Amino acid sequence: MNARGTGPEGGSAAEAGAEVPFGEAVRAWVRVAVHSFGGPAGQIAVLHRVAVDEKRWVDEQSFLRALSFCMLLPGPEAQQLATYLGWKLHGVRGGLVAGWLFVLPGFVSILALSLVYASFGDSAAVGALFYGLKPAVLAIVLHAVWRLRSRALATRFHLTVALLAFIALFVFHVSFPFVIVAAAAAGALRAGRTGAAAPASATPTVGRALDASGTFGRIVVWLLLWLVPVGALVLFLGASHVLSREAVFFSKTAVVTFGGAYSVLAYVAQQAVENFGWLSPGEMLDGLGLAETTPGPLIQVVQFVGFLGAYRNPGDLSPLTAGVLGSIVTTWVTFAPCFLFIFAGAPLIERIQGRPRVERAMGAITAAVVGVILNLAVWFALHTIFADVTRRSFGIITVDVPALPSLDAGALLIAILAIVATFRLRAGMFTVLGGGAGLGMLWRLLF
C-alpha cells in the first residue's frame, strides 16, 4: 500500500485488506473536522472528497452503504458517517477519534461564541466572518451529487428511486426515515420478484467481522457511559437542577432526531423557550445562525441552548461555570448515543453485505440517498442565495419559493466562482472554502 491508502491496482485500502496508518487517518479526520461547514450536505461532501476521492480508503459502494445506514439512525448522519468510516479503518479507537474530532471544532467554536453572546449579545461579526463560506460549500455539495450520481444511479430503477426520493422530500416533505425505508422495501421486493443475483460489484465482507459478544459488550459500555452521568446529575444535584433537566431532556432528544437537525429543532425550540424558559424565540434563531456558520453538526445548536439555560440559572455555581458545564453535559448526551448506534450496528451492516436481497435493498437506499443529498443541496442553495424563502402550498404540493427581490448578489457571485473553481479548475476543498471566506469578507467590507 502506498502512502495514500490505495491498494493494488488502484483499489481502496479496505478492498485490498491493507492497513491505513493511524496517524495519517487522524490527520485526515482533523482536516475533515475543520472543514465541516454547511450542514449535513456539505459535511457528507467533505467526507466523500477525503475518504473516497483523495485517500481512496473506501470505495463508492462502501461509502454509500455506510451513508445509507446512518440515514436510518436518529442523530446527525454526517457525524455518524465519520464515526463509521473511522471504525471501518481502525475499529473502535478509529471511530472514537473520527467521531469526536468531527464534533470538537464546533464544540469549541460554539462554546466561545456562546460566552461572547451571553456577555455582549452581538453575533454580527460571526455572520460577516463566515458570509462567504456557505456559497463555497454549495459548490462542494453539488460536486458530490454529480460524482455520486454516476455510480449510484446505474440503472433506470435506481434513477427512478432517486427522483421519487427527491420529490417526496422537496415537494411532499415526507420524513427522511420513511423515504429510506420505502426505498429499501422497493429494492428488496424487486430482488424477490426478479430473483436476481447480487450485483457483480458486491464483494465478501472486508474489515471488521461481527462478534456478537463483543457487540453486546460495546452496547452495555456505551449505555453506561451515556446514562450513568445523567443518573449521577439527578442523584447529586436533584431532578430540578438545570444541569439535570438538560441532561434528561437532551438525552430524550438524541433518540428522536430522525431526519436530521431541522426535523427536531422545532421541538427543541418549543420546549426550551415555552416549557423551560431557557431562552427567547429570537435567541433560538441566533443560536441556529451560530451553528450554521461554525464547523460541526447543525444539531450542535443544542449546545448553545444548554449554555444559555445553565448560564442564566446557575444555582450555587457561577454563571460561567454553569454555562460551560451546561455545554459539556448537553454535548455529551447528544453525541454519546451516536457512538452506541454505530458500534452496535456497523458490524452487522458489514456482515450482511453481499447477500442478494440485502444488496438490492441497500442499492435502492443508496439511490434514495442521492435524492436526499440533492434535496439538501437545493434547500441549501435556496437559503444561501435568497434571504427570503417561504413555503407555499398548491393543492397537495408544498414547495419552498424564494422571493426574487431578496436575491443576495454577493452569495450568488461567490457560489458561481466556487462552482467554476470546483468543476472546471478542479480546485481543492481548502482552496474553495478559503477563497469563499475571503471573498465573503471582502464583499461585506465593500458593500
Side-chain angles (χ1 to χ4, degrees), residues 302-324:
V302 299
Q303 179 192 342
F304 176 79
V305 177
F307 180 94
L308 283 188
Y311 184 90
R312 292 168 174 172
N313 303 276
D316 296 331
L317 302 172
S318 70
L320 177 59
T321 301
V324 172

Side-chain angles (χ1 to χ4, degrees), residues 207-225:
R208 314 291 165 182
L210 179 64
D211 177 359
S213 61
T215 299
F216 179 76
R218 285 190 289 272
I219 292 174
V220 172
V221 167
W222 277 97
L223 278 174
L224 293 175
L225 288 173

Side-chain angles (χ1 to χ4, degrees), residues 64 87 128 176 199 282 340 427 430:
L64 292 173
W87 170 86
F176 283 11
L340 167 63
F430 180 79

